[in-house]
């Protein structure tokens, strides 16, 4: 995994994408942690793409290894079902 100053979880849309774009504009090295099926077209070419499941602790450890900071910008579509993505990710 290449080194990065900032890992952004949920980097392809909304707050996550804005975070990546701002960090790149500030000349930071950015690791974009994304779902494997994500549309990557809006991400800056300089972002290091790291596809995987943030609920997998082994993947997440590897995804953020060597980063100085992590921005958690995960988002979900509105639902009436119980949501465990956030708590599963930070365990």
């Amino acid at each position: 995994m290449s080194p990065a100053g900032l890992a952004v979880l949920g980097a392809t849309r909304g707050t996550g994408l804005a975070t990546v774009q701002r960090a790149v504009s500030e000349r930071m090295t950015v690791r974009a942690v994304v779902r494997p099926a994500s549309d990557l077209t809006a991400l800056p070419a300089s972002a290091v793409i790291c596809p995987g499941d943030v609920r997998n602790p082994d993947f997440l450890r590897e995804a953020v290894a060597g980063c100085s900071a992590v921005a958690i910008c995960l988002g979900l579509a509105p639902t009436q079902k119980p949501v465990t993505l956030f708590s599963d990710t930070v365990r």
Side-chain angles (χ1 to χ4, degrees):
M1 190 70 53
S2 59
L6 175 65
V8 180
L9 282 59
T12 57
R13 295 179 47 192
T15 303
L17 179 57
T19 301
V20 170
Q21 291 170 333
R22 177 62 186 264
V24 166
S25 76
E26 297 288 332
R27 301 194 184 281
M28 292 179 70
T29 304
V30 177
R31 189 173 299 156
V33 182
V34 302
R35 291 177 296 123
S38 294
D39 178 3
L40 308 176
T41 56
L43 288 170
S46 63
V48 176
I49 307 301
C50 186
D53 185 346
V54 296
R55 296 169 296 179
N56 177 322
D58 294 329
F59 163 74
L60 195 53
R61 257 190 300 282
E62 183 178 337
V64 302
C67 293
S68 301
V70 178
I72 302 173
C73 304
L74 301 171
L76 295 169
T79 180
Q80 296 297 317
K81 297 178 184 177
V83 175
T84 62
L85 175 64
F86 305 106
S87 55
D88 290 348
T89 300
V90 297
R91 288 179 199 216

